[in-house]
Amino acid sequence: MLLTGGLKSLLPHVLRRIIRCNRHSISNTSGMAEGYKQANIVILHKSLADDFEKFCHANNGPLPLLYRSKPGDWKCPSLSSDSDIRTDCPQYRVYEHGAFTGSVKSLKEYSEQLKDMVTFYLGCSFSFEKAIQNAGIPIRNVEQECNVSMYKTAVPCYSISTFCCNLVVTMRPIPESKLEAAVLATSELKEAHGAPIHIGDPGLLGIQDLSKPDYGDPVHLHPGDIPVFWACGVTGVEAVINCRSPLAFTHSPGCMFITDLKNDSVTVGSSSEVPQVYCISQDPLHYSMVSAEATQKIKNLENLIGIDPGDRGIIHLHRPDELLKACLTISHARSVLITTGFPTHFSYEPPEENDGPPGALAIAAMLQALEKDVAIVTDQRAMDLNKKIIDDAVQLGILKRPVPLLSYQRENADSALRFLCENGNRRRPRFDHLIAIERAGMAADGNYYNARKVNIKNLVDPIDDLFLAAQTIPGVTTTGVGDGGNELGMGKVKEAVKKHIKNGDTIACDVEADFTIVAGVSNWGGYAIACALYILSTCEIHDRYLRKAVGFPQLLKKKTWLSALPSVTKEEKLLKALVQHGVRSGKTASLEMEVDGLPFYDTHSLMIEKLLQELKQ
């Protein structure tokens, strides 16, 4: 690759002239004409042009349309002066009926055919390289004097007529400490693909081996680098291949058309436009993105539910940002398993308390609205009761449809793994995320205790096994919601439970969840999760990241999500239904507590109102 300092600093029209005359061997244009926009090229017969333009608009992350020419027009006056698309890319590809038939330096020999063809100029990630460098971030492929790595993914684009293909991405290694800076530098440069669409393990995109790119060259990661993926205009090449048109042309990947347009520096405005990056999984490594505005709202929810009724000491169990990280992870999940049930009233039938099921159903309702698969696992002895509760929730309009109800029994050492994965295969999990809310958790001695240190092991099935097994399955994450430290998932804060919670040395749950959400009442945690998922779903930055910048924004479904949120009316109706089934209130020792001047058990409605008010801010 020839990339002298002179070539890097030349103006676009000079570079185009050099390329047109073929005076230098230029293998790619990465790093050239710093600060100017570069363009991917797709040239199609005019009969296909309207559909391809619609395809670009439907997938504007990989295919931001800069300019569409008229048939036979070899110039693009809005992008450049003195240009000729037949000669001004270093190299072109020729496709006949979808088959690649060769590379050429010039398209002049096809001038007659080009008279009936339309040229599309599409944004390119080379355009944002200067912005990344200005943020103090190295461009590894420029350092290594090679083309950027490009990969086909397993992510389908939105199809239009004969144009259908999977997303193609570029990968740039970014030092972990610079991830957020890289996102900020590119997020507003939408004509250059904007913010990344994935950060972390390439396998989550269906990319098996970073050392074997489908286009471009391998780019080596330095220690501490994280692979970061941007949508790529070579997606248009894949669309051309699948379209199988009699004749089509594209640039050769990395050999871009250099425009006269500068990448103007963009200042991010409101907090709704400021992206933030959070690590949500270590195995596989996975980061997510969300706006600063959505982040603050979810932190406010976490503060609202974190009040400590009666000063029981749970304030010492609080772990900041766990609600945010848990809900980011749930947002990426396709299938979620929920468990609840704490047999507080061990001498009654049923022994369950009413803290847990309402929160679990609030989460399930939002997951249904988000079109995720959701199931509930509970004790075998409580199956009939939970079926009645679920049926009530459907009749009351809390759930759109019944949630599958499962039970788990330990039969052998592989039982939990076989429950969670098809045929016990860790590469084929049935669930991506497990949530325990007000679920009795196993203590260090193998028993289960209520707050008064009474052993209730005989009433509890070993659903903890599932959370322990999940720790061994890549890609499966867990959340525990509790209000006393003896709930499943609270093992992450067990030392604080032992120190600050009455009877903590005995009752502390020993089983950890990846994320621990501590609430004054566990139901509040469930309501907060539902509200946080709504906030994430209505966040444009998070929505784009979820759909990998292909297809259309999902915000049209906002009304459906809104109707799935918990409400005072829903909560009151469900609590009445629980009473009819003999389910009693829990925490009998706390009847005299007050929160904001209201008796402890009248605070559920107040908390829901506060959470919903936060969504309106």
Side-chain angles (χ1 to χ4, degrees), residues 593-613:
M593 294 180 187
E594 289 190 356
V595 178
D596 287 359
L598 291 175
F600 184 65
Y601 289 111
D602 291 336
T603 61
H604 281 61
S605 297
L606 176 65
M607 180 56 67
I608 290 174
E609 289 176 350
K610 285 185 174 182
L611 294 171
L612 295 179
Q613 185 62 39

Side-chain angles (χ1 to χ4, degrees), residues 70-82:
K70 294 178 180 179
D73 188 355
W74 302 327
K75 299 184 182 300
C76 50
S78 66
L79 301 183
S80 62
S81 61
D82 184 34

Side-chain angles (χ1 to χ4, degrees), residues 405-439:
L405 188 61
L406 311 173
S407 68
Y408 166 76
Q409 298 295 319
R410 182 192 300 142
E411 297 175 354
N412 54 54
D414 293 334
S415 293
L417 194 61
R418 298 187 73 83
F419 183 95
L420 293 175
C421 304
E422 293 181 23
N423 300 317
N425 184 347
R426 286 183 172 86
R427 290 176 294 181
R428 302 185 67 182
R430 293 189 177 95
F431 308 100
D432 302 311
H433 196 88
L434 280 59
I435 302 173
I437 174 170
E438 190 63 19
R439 169 75 195 177

